[in-house]
């Protein structure tokens, strides 16, 4: 006697929130590290009362950063989906890139869903940052202007003004990091500090120094749609020299600030592992030709750099090693 075939078990539909999390690139948290960095700058020297307010502002600013990054990544994916560049850069001929990171190409989200999510994220960002401004213990004009500039221009990386398509992508990647540090510090302290500015510049170079390797890998797709990155505009040797120059700028900031007396004399010693490994990163990308591995190393180096900067700030405040002079 033949047994009836067991009914097929229907596969569970994908959970929508996972697709939105991939759309927002929540696993790339590198810009969010600006908040613990600023916290290390301001919290050790404050009273309990000011610490509570500062912590609330930090959390609101972090919420705005996450929402802004989600909006920026979402609109970048929509633009890349429309012009076909993501299909080239993440398609079957690019096995090193995970297709699941592009829900529109993978078909797990529709374009209207993505656009709606992008605008909701932009609105959430504006609400968080307005609340942070209202609660901030200080509101110097330059810091308020920085937050407003972030709110207006942050989501336009590949949308409306299409900043990343029009020759300003590299500057945008670095400036986003600068503006995630300096205005927040200003809102909490009311002042502009030279060493904080150096740390902000170093912080902003971190995402740039893995973004330029992504751009090097994405030259065919970006060139096909007219995205004018340095990697597209420069010859291969020129692009390699440009990336080397960005790496050298990071070293110049670290060493030069100590020589000028802006940073502690031991600042370059603490940051030395990052500066040395930048050479390894460049060699891996432009001599060995392993661009995506160099990009991954750049992500780890940015995270290491942030951890070291936090350690520097805590040491300067006397919370580690009794303070160094």
């Amino acid at each position: 006697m033949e047994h009836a075939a067991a009914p097929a078990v229907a596969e569970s539909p994908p959970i929508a929130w996972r697709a939105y999390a991939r759309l927002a690139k929540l696993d790339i948290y590198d810009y969010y590290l600006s908040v613990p960095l600023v916290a290390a700058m301001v919290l050790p020297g404050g009273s309990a009362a000011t610490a509570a307010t500062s912590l609330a502002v930090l959390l609101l600013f972090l919420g705005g950063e996450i929402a802004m990054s989600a909006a920026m990544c979402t609109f970048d994916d929509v633009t890349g989906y429309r012009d076909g560049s993501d299909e080239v850069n993440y398609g079957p001929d690019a096995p090193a890139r995970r297709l699941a990171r592009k829900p529109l190409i993978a078909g797990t989200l529709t374009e209207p869903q993505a656009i709606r999510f992008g605008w909701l994220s932009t609105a959430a960002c504006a609400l968080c940052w307005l609340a942070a401004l209202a609660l901030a213990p200080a509101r110097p004009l330059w810091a308020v202007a920085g937050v407003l500039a972030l709110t207006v221009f942050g989501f336009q990386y590949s949308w409306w003004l299409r900043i990343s398509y029009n020759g300003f992508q590299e500057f945008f990647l670095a400036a986003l990091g600068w503006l995630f540090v300096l205005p927040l510090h200003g809102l909490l302290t009311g002042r502009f500090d030279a060493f904080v500015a150096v740390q902000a510049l170093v912080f902003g170079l971190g995402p740039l120094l893995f973004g330029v390797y992504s751009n090097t890998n994405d030259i065919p797709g970006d060139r096909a749609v007219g995205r004018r990155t340095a990697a597209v505009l420069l010859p291969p040797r020129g692009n390699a020299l440009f990336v080397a120059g960005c790496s050298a700028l990071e070293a110049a900031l670290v060493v030069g600030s100590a020589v000028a007396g802006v940073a502690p004399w031991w600042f370059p010693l603490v940051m030395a592992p990052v500066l040395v490994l930048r050479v390894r990163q460049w060699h891996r990308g432009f001599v060995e030709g392993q661009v995506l591995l160099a990009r991954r190393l750049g992500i780890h180096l940015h995270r290491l750099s942030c951890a070291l900067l936090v350690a520097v700030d805590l040491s300067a405040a006397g919370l580690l090693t009794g303070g160094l002079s």
Side-chain angles (χ1 to χ4, degrees):
M1 179 178 177
E2 295 184 0
H3 295 282
V9 179
E11 292 186 2
S12 301
I15 301 174
W17 67 262
R18 290 181 179 171
Y20 284 113
R22 288 169 179 150
L23 186 68
K25 309 294 183 290
L26 293 180
D27 59 321
I28 301 297
Y29 55 83
D30 301 272
Y31 279 119
Y32 313 153
L33 296 176
S34 65
V35 172
L37 175 58
V38 175
M41 295 172 180
V42 302
L43 291 182
S47 64
T50 58
T53 301
S54 295
L55 183 60
V57 173
L58 286 163
L59 291 175
L60 285 168
F61 201 85
L62 174 61
E65 284 188 3
I66 294 171
M68 175 53 67
S69 297
M72 182 178 71
C73 292
T74 296
F75 288 130
D76 186 55
D77 275 15
V78 172
T79 301
Y81 175 73
R82 287 178 173 179
D83 64 24
S85 59
D86 278 353
E87 190 171 2
V88 173
N89 296 333
Y90 287 80
D93 294 330
R97 308 291 284 272
R98 289 183 293 164
L99 181 62
R101 291 182 56 77
K102 295 289 181 178
L104 292 171
I105 300 294
T108 52
L109 286 176
T110 66
E111 185 179 321
Q113 286 177 317
I115 292 173
R116 184 163 56 248
F117 177 74
W119 285 122
L120 287 172
S121 298
T122 304
C125 168
L127 290 173
C128 284
W129 284 346
L130 285 173
L133 287 174
L135 195 59
R139 283 184 287 275
L141 183 58
W142 62 268
V144 174
V147 174
L148 294 179
L150 278 171
T151 307
V152 173
F153 295 106
F155 71 91
Q156 299 193 60
Y157 177 71
S158 299
W159 200 250
W160 286 6
L161 291 180
R162 292 161 58 94
I163 295 168
S164 68
Y165 277 69
N166 291 315
F168 297 97
Q169 189 201 75
E170 291 79 13
F171 176 77
F172 183 98
L173 291 175
L176 195 64
W178 304 337
L179 291 175
F180 277 168
V181 174
L182 283 172
L184 177 56
H185 183 268
L187 292 177
L188 294 174
T189 65
R191 65 178 186 272
F192 181 91
D193 182 276
F195 186 40
V196 171
V198 169
Q199 293 184 71
L201 292 171
V202 171
F203 179 86
L205 286 173
L208 172 65
L209 283 169
F210 58 80
V212 288
Y213 289 92
S214 292
N215 291 346
T216 301
N217 180 81
D218 295 346
I219 288 174
D222 288 344
R223 178 176 287 137
V225 300
R227 193 171 197 165
R228 298 195 294 274
T229 64
V232 168
L233 295 173
L234 296 171
R237 180 176 175 81
N239 180 48
L241 289 174
F242 172 74
V243 177
C246 293
S247 301
L249 177 59
E250 180 183 47
L253 283 166
V254 171
V255 176
S257 62
V259 171
V262 171
W265 65 266
W266 42 267
F267 183 46
L269 299 179
V270 176
M271 300 301 294
V274 175
L275 304 183
V276 171
L277 287 170
R278 286 294 182 204
V279 179
R280 173 58 180 151
Q281 181 190 16
W282 188 89
H283 188 273
R284 177 170 287 178
F286 292 101
V287 177
E288 298 176 7
Q290 301 183 68
V291 178
L292 290 179
L293 288 179
R295 174 188 181 272
R296 180 170 293 277
L297 177 57
I299 293 174
H300 294 316
L301 285 180
H302 175 64
R303 295 170 184 176
L304 173 61
S305 176
C306 291
L308 294 176
L309 289 173
V310 167
V312 166
D313 289 318
L314 294 179
S315 293
L319 296 188
L320 295 178
T321 67
L324 295 171
S325 58

